Amino acid sequence: MTNIFKQIYIRTSGYSYTNMGRLFLRLFVGVMLMQFGLRQWLHFDDASLIFPSSLGMDPATSMTVMIIIEILCSFFIMIGFCTRLMVIPPFIAMILAEHYLLGKTAEASYLISWSQPGYLPIMFMGIYFFILLVGPGKISVDYFLSLHFIHSDNQSESELEEV
């Protein structure tokens, strides 16, 4: 009986599926942000009237830039192409969204409850920062392009592991 528990424990704690985890996280955050962009695109006329202006742009231009970031960057993150580069624009957009949300309310940030939208940009920033640190993983276009470049230069795949 103890052998069964040992085997179960070893199987559940010793094995790691990091590349599948990175793929899931990329797909999850990509779909979550892309659905915001698609909703804004579908309701552009109504939403652009209430969308805040940022970085010196008028509300319609700010919203257009945000929609492009939300859809295009999300797509590239999901397929894993230029992943570390593609998380930077949404990360900055989430910083601006958080600044707008906290600046709009008179409450201090520690008084925001979990059900208010102030935590959503912070959650996205955390996920994007994690992806920026760990990279896209081996189930991505980035990895396959890296393999192609390494093989075309007649180098070994161990070169890729050092990166």
Side-chain angles (χ1 to χ4, degrees):
M1 191 61 142
T2 58
N3 276 342
I4 293 172
F5 288 123
K6 285 181 186 177
Q7 291 291 22
I8 291 172
Y9 182 77
I10 289 171
R11 294 252 179 222
T12 58
S13 65
Y15 291 98
S16 176
Y17 302 100
T18 58
N19 292 309
M20 289 294 284
R22 291 179 198 181
L23 173 65
F24 171 77
L25 191 63
R26 284 193 345 258
L27 292 174
F28 174 77
V29 78
V31 168
M32 291 303 294
L33 192 64
M34 189 177 279
Q35 56 98 12
F36 285 119
L38 291 174
R39 275 194 229 156
Q40 289 174 344
W41 189 10
L42 291 174
H43 304 288
F44 185 83
D45 294 332
D46 299 329
S48 65
L49 298 174
I50 59 171
F51 200 82
S53 61
S54 60
L55 302 175
M57 297 181 280
D58 65 333
T61 307
S62 294
M63 188 167 170
T64 304
V65 169
M66 189 64 174
I67 290 171
I68 291 169
I69 288 172
E70 289 170 344
I71 294 175
L72 192 66
C73 291
S74 292
F75 176 73
F76 284 136
I77 290 169
M78 287 191 302
I79 65 170
F81 181 67
C82 296
T83 308
R84 286 188 165 135
L85 215 58
M86 288 295 128
V87 298
I88 294 171
F91 187 83
I92 293 170
M94 292 301 120
I95 290 172
L96 291 173
E98 185 65 24
H99 180 269
Y100 172 74
L101 287 172
L102 291 180
K104 186 175 131 181
T105 61
E107 300 174 356
S109 61
Y110 58 86
L111 295 176
I112 294 177
S113 73
W114 65 270
S115 62
Q116 290 175 312
Y119 285 115
L120 197 58
I122 293 172
M123 180 199 67
F124 275 109
M125 286 188 315
I127 293 172
Y128 289 133
F129 187 72
F130 178 79
I131 292 172
L132 185 69
L133 287 178
V134 299
K138 290 184 177 181
I139 308 171
S140 66
V141 174
D142 286 341
Y143 181 74
F144 292 117
L145 280 174
S146 297
L147 283 177
H148 173 71
F149 294 145
I150 284 174
H151 288 297
S152 66
D153 291 341
N154 292 326
Q155 297 175 349
S156 70
E157 289 182 26
S158 64
E159 189 81 23
L160 186 60
E161 296 299 323
E162 293 175 10
V163 175

